[in-house]
Amino acid sequence: MSEPIVLGIESTCDETAAAIVQGRTLLSNVVASSMEEHARYGGVIPEIASRAHAEAFVPCVSKALADAGLELSDVDAIAVSAGPGLAGCLAVGVSGAKALAWSANKPIYGINHVIGHIAVTQLQFGPFPDDTLALIVSGGHTSLLHVEDVARRIDVVGTTLDDAAGECFDKVARLLGFPYPGGPHIDRHAQQGDPHAIKVPQGLTQGQAGARHPYDFSFSGVKTAVARWVEGEQAAGREIPVDDVCASLADSVATVLARKAMRGCRQYDSKTLIVGGGFSANSQLRAKLLEFGRSNGIEVRIPELKLCTDNGAMVAMLGVNLVEAGVRPSAPDFPIDSAMPLTRVSM
Ligand code: KG4
Ligand code: ZN
């Protein structure tokens, strides 16, 4: 087969997205978001998100095909996020994708959304090296993965023992009064602050806990330390130096992530670090990873901003990998899996 053409569909959380990838080329990329409908509740409301997916599904897929100048009959396969994510949201995307696959008689792949976040880097940087390490930092996941073969074999090297980095940012953001999602607000304020103004702990980096968990993460202590500090200042009637709080938090989190990722690369003898997930849009993390990568001789592949947050291109790209590897498509009645494990690439 010449370069496979795959339609990718995404509906795990608050983005409805569809995109078409041919080989390593992105032909179209359409994203509709219901984020604004959730902002006043301080978090994603699954019922509202599910309804938004149902409304946006057909317009998104139609536009993705039109932008690529293709008909559904032109694609070789359909890929859709089958998990992990919100059950009601996944059900909308997967049902829609199954209907398309059935009507056009196309193979369908129910893929792992999180693995899509790392697969997407191929659109910018080309195919993966045979054996590589990946850092995944999304809203719900913070993990180091050993990617032997993105279509078939992935192992978890380390993971967060409590909060994900994105969750930690979102919780501190709420404390500081930023609207949901708070991560980008912390990022912006951090750019003007002093990263060493406040002492923020670096979870699982020192002593016995650090030795026992060299590749695991813990961010709940970081969140608590920042919360305590802010409450103390408020109780003393002092004004909160928001920029400094954000900069100190961001520096601590980015340093731990970058340090552990580099250590993992050394351990697995990987000259490349693949980075993905919504939190990889964070400017402090991007800068720290590139800096550490340079000094450790590791090529760090971080996607451009629009491919960091949830999108259909990541789903389509992983779909291409599965087609190219000759992986059997998912059964026509495959289920969603809201807690899909990271070691499972497709259903
Ligand atoms: O991957 P993603 O879009 O959704 C999941 O699959 O979970 O990640 C969303 C997370 C949220 O926690 C959001 O606050 C965070 O990514 N995020 C950021 C930035 N942009 C998005 N966190 C820090 N700085 C950013 N610039
Ligand atoms: Zn995501």
Side-chain angles (χ1 to χ4, degrees):
M1 192 192 287
S2 57
E3 294 194 311
I5 302 176
V6 175
L7 164 65
I9 296 170
E10 154 64 27
S11 74
T12 54
C13 190
D14 54 355
E15 269 96 25
T16 317
I20 295 176
V21 169
Q22 178 169 26
R24 301 289 177 283
T25 310
L26 184 58
L27 300 185
S28 64
N29 190 27
V30 181
V31 182
S33 175
S34 62
M35 196 181 286
E36 278 168 20
E37 295 177 59
H38 309 289
R40 67 192 171 111
Y41 302 103
V44 175
I45 307 294
E47 271 304 308
I48 295 178
S50 305
R51 196 167 331 142
H53 287 307
E55 283 164 10
F57 184 91
V58 171
C60 275
V61 171
S62 306
K63 186 163 181 350
L65 286 167
D67 288 357
L70 297 174
E71 307 276 347
L72 187 56
S73 56
D74 297 323
V75 309
D76 295 304
I78 295 170
V80 59
S81 294
L86 300 168
C89 297
L90 291 166
V92 176
V94 168
S95 312
K98 282 178 178 173
L100 293 175
W102 185 80
S103 65
N105 195 24
K106 299 292 178 187
I108 183 167
Y109 291 90
I111 65 103
N112 188 318
H113 170 91
V114 179
I115 307 306
H117 272 304
I118 55 178
V120 77
T121 54
Q122 297 165 96
L123 291 171
Q124 268 175 274
F125 303 96
F128 285 161
D130 274 346
D131 215 324
T132 187
L133 214 77
L135 172 67
I136 176 83
V137 271
S138 70
H141 290 82
T142 303
S143 303
L144 274 172
L145 305 178
H146 179 217
V147 184
E148 256 182 77
D149 172 354
V150 71
R152 295 180 201 275
R153 184 148 184 87
I154 290 179
D155 291 317
V156 178
V157 173
T159 194
T160 179
L161 303 184
D162 39 58
D163 290 356
E167 244 173 310
C168 165
F169 264 45
D170 289 344
K171 286 176 181 167
V172 172
R174 198 178 304 181
L175 189 86
L176 294 173
F178 300 140
Y180 175 86
H185 294 276
I186 297 206
D187 186 333
R188 241 181 344 269
H189 282 275
Q191 290 173 32
Q192 284 133 40
D194 171 5
H196 306 295
I198 296 153
K199 205 167 151 28
V200 179
Q202 299 188 345
L204 298 183
T205 52
Q206 269 144 30
Q208 279 189 359
R212 230 178 306 134
H213 297 281
Y215 307 113
D216 290 323
F217 305 96
S218 166
F219 295 110
S220 83
V222 177
K223 174 195 68 194
T224 310
V226 173
R228 290 272 150 75
W229 190 88
V230 169
E231 282 156 11
E233 293 296 293
Q234 280 166 338
R238 284 189 286 268
E239 202 182 318
I240 306 299
V242 172
D243 293 351
D244 288 347
V245 171
C246 292
S248 302
L249 169 69
D251 186 71
S252 156
V253 170
T255 303
V256 172
L257 289 168
R259 196 175 287 160
K260 294 207 173 204
M262 292 301 143
R263 191 168 172 176
C265 286
R266 273 199 302 278
Q267 172 70 22
Y268 283 83
D269 202 18
S270 174
K271 289 273 160 257
T272 316
L273 178 71
I274 312 291
V275 186
F279 194 89
S280 59
N282 179 259
S283 33
Q284 292 81 31
L285 177 63
R286 297 171 80 89
K288 196 70 84 181
L289 283 170
L290 293 172
E291 177 199 326
F292 278 39
R294 267 192 305 275
S295 53
N296 285 276
I298 308 271
E299 184 204 350
V300 177
R301 299 184 179 181
I302 316 182
E304 59 175 307
L305 290 182
K306 76 167 198 279
L307 296 180
C308 288
T309 42
D310 292 347
N311 61 78
M314 56 193 257
V315 182
M317 185 62 242
L318 184 52
V320 167
N321 288 133
L322 291 162
V323 173
E324 285 178 346
V327 171
R328 190 141 39 100
S330 304
D333 62 347
F334 73 87
I336 60 164
D337 184 354
S338 57
M340 196 165 178
L342 294 177
T343 46
R344 177 161 213 174
V345 180
S346 64
M347 300 296 283

